[in-house]
Structures are given as C-alpha cells and as structure tokens.
C-alpha cells in the first residue's frame, strides 16, 4: 500500500521545519507577521494547544514567553525533534511544555471540551487535510476544545498565492493549472505539495460555520509574497529592512494583500 502523500511529505521535512523561520529573510517575514498577531490577541497567560506543531517552532517560543503549551502533530519524528529542543531549555521552560501528543487536528478527542485558553494551527495544517469532511471536522474540533472566547489562529495555503507561485517559480508546470483551477487540490502533479488551497472567503466561512468569529485575516508573507530575491536584498540593509517591516505590518491585513500571499492567517474567537 502506498504511503499517505501528506504524511510522506511531513516525514521528508526532517529538521528543516525547526530551522525554517530563521533560514531566510523571506521566512523571517512569516515569523514577524505571525508573532505580531499572536502578541496582539493571545491572553496574558494560559494553556495553548499547538495543533500541527511540527517540531514546535512556535509553541516552544511561546513556552519561553511564559505560556503553557501542548504540542500535537501527526508525525512522531517531528515530535521527537521537539523533545530534543525542549530538553535543551531551562527547567522552568521545560515545565511549561505540558505534553507532546501524536495525533491529527481532525480528531482532538484526546482533549475535553472547553479545555484550552488558545489554539494555534500554523503552517497550513488544515490545507494538508485533503478531504472536505476532514477539514470540516478539524474546524469543528478546534472550536470544541477552545474555551469560550478563546483566540484561535489558523493558517492555510492560499489558492491565489499558489497560482502566482506556479507562474513565478514553476512556469514549466503551467499546463496543470486548468485542473488545479477546478479541483483546488495539488495531488502530486506539480511542485506544490499535496494540499487543498483556500480563498480568504472560504477560510472565514469554514471557521464561522463552526462557531469561530474571525476578527482579522492576514497574508502571512504580506507584500513580500513571491518576491523572495528582492526581500533577501532588502534584508541586507538594516535601515531599509526596518522600514519594510513597518510596511509589512501595516498592510498585511489589507484584502488586496491577503489573497495573493502564500499563506492566509485567520484570527478568531471561539
């Protein structure tokens, strides 16, 4: 039997996921924008579920900042990498990492109702659920385990961003676009990973139907989306980069920016 393509992709990531947000200026943009919104909407303290945590890039940083975190991922190797990172932390920070759980975001039965003070699901975890029913269950489960008015942060892969990505990075695969426009799935035929790609409206609608009121949605790569080379060049000039960071944060929630980003981050309250 062939291996689930999504699981196979995650396994291939190895420790790349841990180093991802510190590897380039382009990925620094992701970190800048995501943490801006985490800092804006997270409560001052509490227990946070990181659903689709990977190796814990975000949740371990939140533990360092005083939050109590539970990591959950579908891939045991990624959780092992997270354990290695946690073992290197000061004891008080280690104590704030409550658990590392093997599981999928569409089945959070390991956790009771109204359990978490916040839920984060970053890196496009919902997009890696290839069936509509699984995505529906995942959104429902996130709402169920969140306490009343707990903030929820969910990022997905952008449909319009994927079209631009093919044009800018994989133009030789343009012949796949007619099928992709209809199915909205990348199923092994392109360089895009096996995923479902959302429009901003679909993202908001999915969460709203499950009782999560979306208050903001943003383009995770902002105005740097699909401009990797010039973003790297800008990063080499600290004064220019400082100005560009301000521009990114002031514009990343504009509707004309959100849809063409690589990832869409929705922020809501359960």
């Amino acid at each position: 039997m062939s291996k689930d393509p999504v699981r196979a992709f995650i396994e291939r990531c190895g420790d790349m996921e841990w180093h991802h947000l510190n590897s380039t200026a382009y990925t620094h943009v992701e970190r800048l924008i995501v943490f801006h919104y985490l800092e804006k909407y997270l409560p001052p303290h509490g227990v946070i579920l990181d659903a689709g945590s990977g190796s814990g890039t975000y949740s371990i940083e939140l533990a360092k900042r005083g939050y109590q975190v539970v990591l959950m991922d579908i891939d045991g190797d990624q959780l092992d990498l997270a354990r290695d990172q946690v073992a290197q932390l000061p004891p008080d920070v280690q104590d704030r990492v409550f658990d590392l759980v093997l599981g999928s975001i569409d089945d959070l039965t390991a956790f009771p109702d109204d359990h978490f003070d916040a839920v984060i699901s970053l890196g496009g975890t919902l997009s890696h659920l290839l069936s509509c029913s699984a995505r529906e269950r995942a959104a429902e489960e996130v709402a169920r385990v969140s306490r009343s008015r707990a903030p929820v942060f969910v990022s997905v892969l952008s449909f319009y961003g994927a079209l631009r990505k093919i044009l800018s990075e994989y133009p030789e695969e343009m012949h796949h676009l007619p099928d992709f426009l209809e199915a909205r799935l990348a199923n092994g035929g392109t360089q895009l990973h096996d995923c479902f790609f959302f429009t901003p409206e679909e993202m908001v609608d999915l969460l709203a139907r499950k009782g999560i009121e979306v208050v903001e949605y943003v383009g995770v790569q902002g105005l740097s989306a699909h401009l990797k080379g010039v973003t790297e060049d800008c990063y080499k000039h600290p004064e220019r980069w400082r100005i560009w960071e301000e521009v990114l944060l002031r514009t990343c929630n504009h509707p004309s920016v959100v849809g063409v980003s690589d990832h869409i981050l929705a922020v809501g309250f359960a």
Side-chain angles (χ1 to χ4, degrees), residues 196-240:
F196 179 82
F197 294 80
F198 286 80
T199 67
E201 296 82 5
E202 288 169 336
M203 180 61 187
V204 172
D205 177 67
L206 173 60
L207 296 178
R209 286 189 288 102
K210 305 305 178 182
I212 298 171
E213 176 193 3
V214 175
V215 293
E216 284 201 77
Y217 57 98
V218 304
V220 172
Q221 286 73 31
L223 286 172
S224 276
H226 315 290
L227 297 173
K228 294 182 179 180
V230 291
T231 297
E232 297 297 328
D233 289 343
C234 181
Y235 190 69
K236 297 172 185 175
H237 303 274
E239 182 58 24
R240 295 180 195 173

Side-chain angles (χ1 to χ4, degrees), residues 234-252:
C234 181
Y235 190 69
K236 297 172 185 175
H237 303 274
E239 182 58 24
R240 295 180 195 173
W241 185 253
R242 183 191 63 78
I243 294 169
W244 187 239
E245 284 187 328
E246 181 179 352
V247 170
L248 288 167
L249 292 176
R250 291 181 63 176
T251 60
C252 63

Side-chain angles (χ1 to χ4, degrees), residues 104-108 126 129 131-144 206 210:
S104 176
I105 191 173
D106 61 335
D107 181 6
L108 301 180
L126 256 65
L129 300 174
S131 74
C132 179
S133 59
R135 295 190 295 273
E136 294 279 334
R137 286 196 306 273
E140 189 171 293
E141 282 286 81
V142 167
R144 179 185 65 79
L206 173 60
K210 305 305 178 182

Side-chain angles (χ1 to χ4, degrees), residues 15-36 38 50 52-53 55-62 65 120 122-124 155 220-221 232 235 241 245 263:
D15 63 357
M16 175 184 71
E17 192 68 22
W18 174 254
H19 298 289
H20 167 68
L21 292 184
N22 297 309
S23 59
T24 67
Y26 193 71
T27 56
H28 177 81
V29 171
E30 176 182 339
R31 181 183 180 92
L32 170 76
I33 291 175
V34 170
F35 271 109
H36 174 80
L38 290 175
D50 186 354
S53 63
S55 55
T57 304
Y58 284 104
S59 46
I60 289 175
E61 176 61 29
L62 291 173
R65 298 185 183 198
I120 65 175
L122 306 171
S155 76
V220 172
Q221 286 73 31
E232 297 297 328
Y235 190 69
W241 185 253
E245 284 187 328
H263 293 77

Side-chain angles (χ1 to χ4, degrees), residues 3-240:
K3 183 175 288 188
D4 175 356
V6 174
R7 192 182 295 268
F9 164 70
I10 294 170
E11 290 176 358
R12 289 197 303 271
C13 287
D15 63 357
M16 175 184 71
E17 192 68 22
W18 174 254
H19 298 289
H20 167 68
L21 292 184
N22 297 309
S23 59
T24 67
Y26 193 71
T27 56
H28 177 81
V29 171
E30 176 182 339
R31 181 183 180 92
L32 170 76
I33 291 175
V34 170
F35 271 109
H36 174 80
Y37 283 92
L38 290 175
E39 291 165 359
K40 181 176 181 179
Y41 286 105
L42 279 175
H45 50 77
V47 183
I48 300 172
L49 172 65
D50 186 354
S53 63
S55 55
T57 304
Y58 284 104
S59 46
I60 289 175
E61 176 61 29
L62 291 173
K64 293 177 182 178
R65 298 185 183 198
Y67 292 96
Q68 298 156 325
V69 298
V70 174
L71 284 68
M72 188 206 73
D73 199 81
I74 196 171
D75 182 47
D77 290 341
Q78 288 294 310
L79 292 177
D80 286 342
L81 288 170
R83 288 189 183 90
D84 291 342
Q85 297 299 328
V86 171
Q88 299 175 44
L89 298 172
D92 61 320
V93 180
Q94 291 186 40
D95 289 344
R96 291 195 287 272
V97 180
F98 278 5
D99 205 356
L100 295 93
V101 179
L102 186 66
S104 176
I105 191 173
D106 61 335
D107 181 6
L108 301 180
T109 51
F111 311 112
D113 297 356
D114 307 313
H115 189 62
F116 293 101
D117 298 296
V119 175
I120 65 175
S121 180
L122 306 171
T125 301
L126 256 65
S127 283
H128 289 103
L129 300 174
L130 300 185
S131 74
C132 179
S133 59
R135 295 190 295 273
E136 294 279 334
R137 286 196 306 273
E140 189 171 293
E141 282 286 81
V142 167
R144 179 185 65 79
V145 302
S146 301
R147 290 180 177 158
S148 177
R149 301 305 294 169
V152 172
F153 307 81
V154 178
S155 76
V156 296
L157 296 175
S158 166
F159 173 62
Y160 300 118
L163 297 176
R164 285 167 56 98
K165 190 179 186 73
I166 290 176
L167 173 66
S168 62
E169 298 185 33
Y170 311 120
E172 70 281 0
E173 298 188 349
M174 198 73 69
H175 61 283
H176 289 293
L177 287 187
D179 289 338
F180 181 59
L181 283 167
E182 295 299 322
R184 310 280 297 292
L185 286 164
N187 278 325
T190 74
Q191 293 291 324
L192 300 175
H193 305 304
D194 296 84
C195 295
F196 179 82
F197 294 80
F198 286 80
T199 67
E201 296 82 5
E202 288 169 336
M203 180 61 187
V204 172
D205 177 67
L206 173 60
L207 296 178
R209 286 189 288 102
K210 305 305 178 182
I212 298 171
E213 176 193 3
V214 175
V215 293
E216 284 201 77
Y217 57 98
V218 304
V220 172
Q221 286 73 31
L223 286 172
S224 276
H226 315 290
L227 297 173
K228 294 182 179 180
V230 291
T231 297
E232 297 297 328
D233 289 343
C234 181
Y235 190 69
K236 297 172 185 175
H237 303 274
E239 182 58 24
R240 295 180 195 173

